[in-house]
Amino acid sequence: MRKGSGKIFARGIRAALAAAFAACIAVSATGCGKRETPAETAARNGILLVGNAADPASLDPSLATGSSEIRILRGLFEGLVRADTKTLEVRPAAAESWTVSDDGLTYRFKIDKNAKWSDGSPVSARDFEYAWKRALNPALGAEYASMLHAIKNARAYNAGEIGDASKVGVRAISDSELEVELERPVPYFESMLYHSAFFPLPRKTLEKFGATDRRDTRWTRPENMVCNGPFTLVKWSINDKISLRANPHYRARESLKLKGADFFPISNINTEDRAFSAGQLHITDSVAPSRLPAALAAAPQTVRRDRWLGVYYYLFNTRRPPLDDPRVRRALSLSIDRRAIIDSFLKAGQDAAGNFVPSGCGGYVPPRGESENIALAKKLLAEAGYPDGKNFPRIRISYNTSEQHKPIAEAVQQMWRKNLGINAELFNLSWPAYLAARREGDFDVARSSWVGDFAAPENFLDLFHSASGLNHSGYKSAEYDALLARARSAKTRPERMRLLAEAEAKMLADAPVMPIYFYSRVFRISPLVRGWDANALDYHNFLGVSLEAKGGAK
Amino acid sequence: MIRYFAKRLLEAVPVFFAIITAVFFMVRFVPGGPFDSERPVPPETLAALDEYYGLNKPLVRQYAAFLGNLARGELGPSFKYGGWSVGEILAEKAAVSLELGACALAVALAAGLALGFAAAAFSGTKFGGFLSGMSLLGICLPSFVLGPLLIMIFAMKLEWFNAMGWNAPSDIVLPSITLAFFYAAWIARLARNGALDERPRGYVRTAFAKGASRGRVYFVHILRNAVQPVVSYLGPAAAALLTGSFVVETIFQIPGLGRFFISSALDNDYTMIMGCVMLYSAFIICFNLLSDLLLAAVNPRIAREMKK
């Protein structure tokens, strides 16, 4: 080592000190003064800035499962139909018209001649046939493939029971005509069709990047993706942002007023709130309940509370004593004050859930639900052999880690103790461990929630069908199953709805579930945004949304 | 000297393999798998996924496959992000973390050394006490308090900076200050103690006796000797700063490495966990070596030790 190196080191440190000081001065000199916020700049340029809670795990429509993925995919792809963003009524999209056979089993769709992929090639009926069969291919392992099981032989092919994809009931008769055969009549089939699982896929592009039953090919990257929705993908940087820009080949580009949309995967609710307040977002994913009162006081016009098709509930394990007794389950459900839970922890005026199916399910009138009735709860518990909670074994409430779940579980624990004399212990699990425990039936009471994929009561009630893979409670009722089956073959909509309500009433009486509240989408939105309609599915296809290009409001 | 470093590097190899082997098996014993989801995945689908990612093979064979890929420099596909490989994600995010970490390291060094030496030079006076108090505050103030505080003042009130994101060049300022704060405070304490240890030495007294100014004595004569504890602290500090911080990246929404250390474990993203662990271990090993090298540069005695 040379002798002078120490001196050079010391000189280096001195230089660094000076540079840091100079940098501080420079930054504070240039950064001074009020400026146009990023949200105002973006509004001027027609770019919508959206807070998206998480990064998409995949932008492949057949593989996407979460709401943060589907929200982006609705900008990139378009199915046979789309929904009206106000009423959720089905409207033509890639299909300009369709017919249904009298027995409700066969649909024929005529593809819109103007429907184009972003590379300018026409959207063909074959692109739908290809996409749906690919999703059902057992080798692909698509988690959402069950959405397609209404199609004839789809479930059997997906489960590997039949190996021949040509037996699946979807077939392109020509480039412009698609025929879909169903396993049995599904009264709500059309409203399933705007779900991302039914989007078409650009076969050529997928095949260019590898075998189409491979999951992790690079076709979904911005430089490779070809899509048919209002936007194309121009940037995907994990944990940073995803940028979409207007698709020049889009079928209905005259109804698209935006020039683009940027999605920010902000997982921290406080970071998102600060970003909105500092004018970096037009729409947030949510608002922290603790920040809600302040936001409502400061800028109530920026807070939206839209009813959402989702329910938060506790599931009882009906295979385990003492919860195998419906009287015990009902007693537990009758002894909690749902309003108090909502007002203390959620603070956004959500609806208390006495029944299971949320409102907004296309004309469904749910049966009267449970509400707090401690006298009846005590009576039921005594009948079941536990007067005043005596000898009631200790039960466990399992929930996954979340700032929201814990206080609610504590409140329920308190209410059961106070009202019924029952001791419950809280059991916190990581998300994968919680899912594994619930799947394997290793719980007493498990926090759960369900958000509808389409606006039909069946989407909720099928969860308790004895053959459903989602029926974690272990509830089995032949009467309930029979009512659902009758509803499926009902001739008219009112009859179907009546039978479904009857089924729900039967299920509520047996209480495999304790509904707590119905979801609302609580979020903040800049006054610069126009036409972001409220609907129960949080469905936004970006058509009709616009941005006001003037400053001031923040 | 080269022999010394070669020996140290060779010693690190078994440590590195012990770490990745332990982590490889530990993550697979955690309950739940990478493909658990709210919606029930049919057993056939799960089997297809396990087959696809090679999770249906015996653990030992999975481990062999992992080592084989590693030898070819492949970390495999991320289980969480479809269409992305772990290597690709880590490379992209490491660039961000390196930039932010280097900036924070410079700030921490500059501010820490200045504060530390000033505190030593003025020790015994009220001003010196104030400076020491400042560094204590820096150690105690967590970044999840400091970050939002800076955002509130400089982004929301004064509107000088963005509250989050990684787009504008100025987006580096608030996060690097937040990230540097603790390290600056710690370096200040080390530098102050180092300087105070040197003060009674003969050469310092001589310098003062010759009439050298206080600034000249501290920043020329003492600096080189007093900086040694700081230099040995730089190894772990640099490794921590350059691999990013979960908290700071979350507060400022920065696409760096730090968040993957936490999120990959929560998602059971096996390949990503392995990538993160290997990267962090490699950083620790390298930066400890590097700080030894620096130590040898400022202290010839240590350099002589290494030659033996």
Side-chain angles (χ1 to χ4, degrees):
Chain A
M1 180 99 1
R2 276 178 302 111
K3 233 183 159 187
S5 58
K7 209 172 249 173
I8 291 167
F9 183 62
R11 208 174 286 153
I13 288 175
R14 279 196 299 275
L17 281 173
F21 184 69
C24 289
I25 299 287
V27 162
S28 53
T30 55
C32 266
K34 305 260 171 187
R35 52 182 189 151
E36 191 182 47
T37 65
E40 285 159 4
T41 314
R44 204 154 35 75
N45 298 328
I47 309 291
L48 187 69
L49 307 178
V50 186
N52 201 19
D55 247 311
S58 173
L59 286 180
D60 184 328
S62 308
L63 299 177
T65 56
S67 54
S68 13
E69 279 103 53
I70 289 169
R71 193 175 291 166
I72 297 172
L73 286 173
R74 281 183 186 135
L76 291 171
F77 292 87
E78 190 176 67
L80 293 167
V81 306
R82 62 184 175 87
D84 183 292
T85 48
K86 284 200 183 74
T87 62
L88 292 179
E89 276 170 47
V90 172
R91 300 262 186 270
E96 58 179 32
S97 62
W98 58 92
T99 56
V100 192
S101 66
D102 288 341
D103 57 6
L105 285 174
T106 310
Y107 286 72
R108 267 186 185 221
F109 297 90
K110 193 165 181 310
I111 307 294
D112 186 342
K113 277 189 220 54
N114 295 322
K116 295 252 166 34
W117 290 103
S118 54
D119 61 2
S121 60
V123 172
S124 153
R126 297 177 212 284
D127 297 327
F128 285 92
E129 181 187 342
Y130 167 71
W132 299 2
K133 284 183 176 168
R134 169 177 179 263
L136 290 165
N137 186 339
L140 184 71
E143 287 100 325
Y144 246 63
S146 56
M147 282 291 289
L148 299 157
H149 285 184
I151 299 167
K152 191 177 173 192
N153 287 331
R155 198 204 51 76
Y157 172 62
N158 190 215
E161 290 161 18
I162 54 172
D164 185 2
S166 65
K167 292 215 170 73
V168 176
V170 53
R171 192 165 64 92
I173 298 170
S174 66
D175 278 335
S176 61
E177 226 179 330
L178 184 76
E179 188 183 78
V180 182
E181 259 184 284
L182 302 186
E183 191 90 49
R184 53 179 188 231
V186 178
Y188 47 89
F189 183 64
E190 284 169 18
S191 46
M192 293 175 79
L193 285 174
Y194 54 81
H195 190 277
S196 54
F198 290 89
F199 287 163
L201 288 175
R203 179 174 198 155
K204 266 186 298 179
T205 310
L206 266 84
E207 285 175 346
K208 198 165 129 196
F209 293 95
T212 56
D213 60 356
R214 287 192 70 83
R215 293 173 65 88
D216 48 5
T217 75
R218 300 172 60 95
W219 84 269
T220 52
R221 291 303 190 76
E223 62 274 22
N224 306 333
M225 185 187 268
V226 169
C227 50
N228 73 327
F231 297 120
T232 59
L233 181 66
V234 297
K235 178 179 172 156
W236 180 3
S237 171
I238 294 177
N239 274 351
D240 183 9
K241 75 172 167 191
I242 287 188
S243 298
L244 313 187
R245 292 294 177 267
N247 175 2
H249 294 286
Y250 178 54
R251 176 187 63 81
R253 56 191 174 279
E254 66 288 345
S255 18
L256 180 71
K257 294 169 194 156
L258 293 173
K259 292 205 173 68
D262 286 352
F263 294 85
F264 298 86
I266 308 176
S267 53
N268 186 286
I269 205 164
N270 295 314
T271 301
E272 187 183 49
D273 193 69
R274 286 192 294 265
F276 182 83
S277 304
Q280 287 188 267
L281 289 178
H282 290 130
I283 297 174
T284 68
D285 179 72
S286 53
V287 186
S290 59
R291 292 277 309 140
L292 198 58
L296 279 171
Q301 77 281 7
T302 64
V303 180
R304 277 266 293 269
R305 288 174 286 188
D306 299 350
R307 279 210 175 94
W308 194 22
L309 206 64
V311 59
Y312 184 100
Y313 56 97
Y314 278 14
L315 206 57
F316 298 123
N317 190 342
T318 60
R319 290 156 294 217
R320 278 192 187 175
L323 297 168
D324 55 350
D325 186 332
R327 289 171 299 192
V328 171
R329 301 196 297 259
R330 264 201 83 198
L332 292 172
S333 184
L334 284 166
S335 65
I336 62 161
D337 182 351
R338 293 165 170 86
R339 200 70 253 162
I341 291 175
I342 293 165
D343 293 341
S344 323
F345 307 118
L346 308 166
K347 300 193 171 114
Q350 283 90 341
D351 294 328
N355 70 307
F356 192 67
V357 181
S359 62
C361 272
Y364 177 71
V365 184
R368 224 177 75 87
E370 304 278 28
S371 55
E372 195 181 27
N373 185 342
I374 293 162
L376 179 58
K378 284 188 153 165
K379 187 167 153 277
L380 285 167
L381 199 64
E383 281 172 20
Y386 308 102
D388 295 322
K390 272 199 197 75
N391 303 323
F392 195 86
R394 183 175 273 266
I395 53 171
R396 207 181 225 192
I397 303 175
S398 301
Y399 60 95
N400 58 296
T401 311
S402 146
E403 284 164 35
Q404 197 99 91
H405 304 331
K406 188 166 174 245
I408 294 179
E410 284 167 350
V412 169
Q413 181 190 39
Q414 287 301 321
M415 287 168 184
W416 283 348
R417 182 178 298 149
K418 190 172 129 249
N419 297 334
L420 300 177
I422 282 173
N423 283 318
E425 67 178 67
L426 304 187
F427 191 49
N428 188 1
L429 293 149
S430 75
W431 177 240
Y434 156 82
L435 291 174
R438 205 179 59 173
R439 189 179 56 231
E440 281 148 29
D442 183 18
F443 66 93
D444 298 325
V445 181
R447 176 220 75 86
S448 292
S449 54
W450 186 255
V451 175
D453 293 308
F454 45 91
E458 286 92 340
N459 199 204
F460 289 81
L461 294 175
D462 283 349
L463 296 183
F464 295 94
H465 191 280
S466 58
S468 163
L470 279 161
N471 187 354
H472 303 297
S473 70
Y475 175 65
K476 275 191 174 61
S477 159
E479 190 187 335
Y480 180 74
D481 294 353
L483 281 165
L484 288 185
R486 279 174 59 200
R488 211 175 289 127
S489 48
K491 285 281 174 287
T492 64
R493 191 183 173 93
E495 190 196 348
R496 173 181 145 228
M497 293 300 179
R498 189 183 53 75
L499 286 163
L500 290 172
E502 221 176 288
E504 185 178 2
K506 161 72 184 148
M507 189 267 283
L508 288 174
D510 292 339
V513 60
M514 174 173 94
I516 298 178
Y517 70 92
F518 293 122
Y519 279 152
S520 288
R521 287 270 305 131
V522 187
F523 61 100
R524 301 189 72 179
I525 182 164
S526 156
L528 300 174
V529 182
R530 299 267 178 276
W532 193 260
D533 296 328
N535 61 60
L537 282 179
D538 190 30
Y539 170 91
H540 303 283
N541 57 23
F542 305 97
L543 304 180
V545 178
S546 63
L547 288 159
E548 197 176 316
K550 69 164 192 255
K554 193 179 76 174
Chain B
M1 181 98 91
I2 291 168
R3 263 184 61 200
Y4 170 80
F5 282 104
K7 195 171 139 242
R8 283 278 306 267
L9 267 180
L10 279 178
E11 278 170 7
V13 171
V15 175
F16 185 74
F17 274 94
I19 293 171
I20 61 175
T21 307
V23 174
F24 183 90
F25 289 101
M26 270 155 66
V27 295
R28 280 163 175 79
F29 292 130
V30 172
F35 307 114
D36 275 318
S37 69
E38 177 90 48
R39 182 168 282 267
V41 182
E44 302 85 25
T45 306
L46 269 184
L49 286 171
D50 283 348
E51 162 86 34
Y52 189 86
Y53 290 103
L55 294 175
N56 55 351
K57 296 198 192 96
L59 271 185
V60 180
R61 282 194 48 204
Q62 287 184 41
Y63 181 65
F66 162 73
L67 288 183
N69 284 339
L70 190 60
R72 285 194 300 275
E74 278 168 28
L75 300 174
S78 163
F79 289 4
K80 167 83 194 286
Y81 299 103
W84 291 78
S85 73
V86 170
E88 191 178 21
I89 297 177
L90 289 182
E92 191 183 302
K93 304 305 162 192
V96 174
S97 282
L98 280 177
E99 193 182 338
L100 176 61
C103 192
L105 191 64
V107 172
L109 258 182
L113 287 177
L115 190 69
F117 281 105
F122 292 98
S123 79
T125 68
K126 272 195 181 141
F127 183 58
F130 168 74
L131 292 178
S132 302
M134 284 283 289
S135 70
L136 194 65
L137 180 77
I139 290 169
C140 299
L141 192 67
S143 50
F144 61 82
V145 174
L146 179 66
L149 197 70
L150 290 178
I151 294 175
M152 230 156 71
I153 299 169
F154 294 103
M156 285 152 87
K157 284 267 179 305
L158 298 173
E159 299 190 12
W160 289 2
F161 301 103
N162 286 329
M164 61 118 202
W166 190 253
N167 298 306
S170 65
D171 283 344
I172 200 171
V173 177
L174 296 183
S176 52
I177 292 173
T178 310
L179 194 55
F181 210 68
F182 170 85
Y183 295 91
W186 196 251
I187 288 172
R189 288 187 78 75
L190 291 173
R192 175 176 176 272
N193 295 344
L196 288 181
D197 284 347
E198 291 298 314
R199 205 156 62 170
R201 300 268 173 109
Y203 76 94
V204 179
R205 296 225 302 272
T206 311
F208 273 122
K210 276 162 65 182
S213 72
R214 182 142 60 172
R216 189 170 166 76
V217 173
Y218 277 93
F219 283 96
V220 177
H221 294 261
I222 288 183
L223 181 78
R224 184 168 155 185
N225 291 323
V227 86
Q228 284 179 39
V230 176
V231 172
S232 40
Y233 173 63
L234 274 184
L241 281 171
L242 296 176
T243 48
S245 144
F246 175 78
V247 176
V248 170
E249 286 174 15
T250 305
I251 293 171
F252 291 96
Q253 185 64 18
I254 291 170
L257 282 176
R259 294 160 87 181
F260 288 99
F261 288 84
I262 310 284
S263 65
S264 61
L266 293 179
D267 298 333
N268 280 355
D269 190 345
Y270 296 160
T271 44
M272 182 60 92
I273 295 174
M274 293 312 298
C276 289
V277 167
M278 286 191 287
L279 192 75
Y280 194 59
S281 320
F283 263 72
I284 293 264
I285 291 169
C286 291
F287 280 97
N288 278 338
L289 262 177
L290 216 62
S291 84
D292 283 356
L293 195 70
L294 267 179
L295 221 47
V298 290
N299 191 339
R301 251 177 302 179
I302 294 178
R304 271 200 299 279
E305 285 284 306
M306 289 179 181
K307 276 183 190 146
K308 278 177 192 166

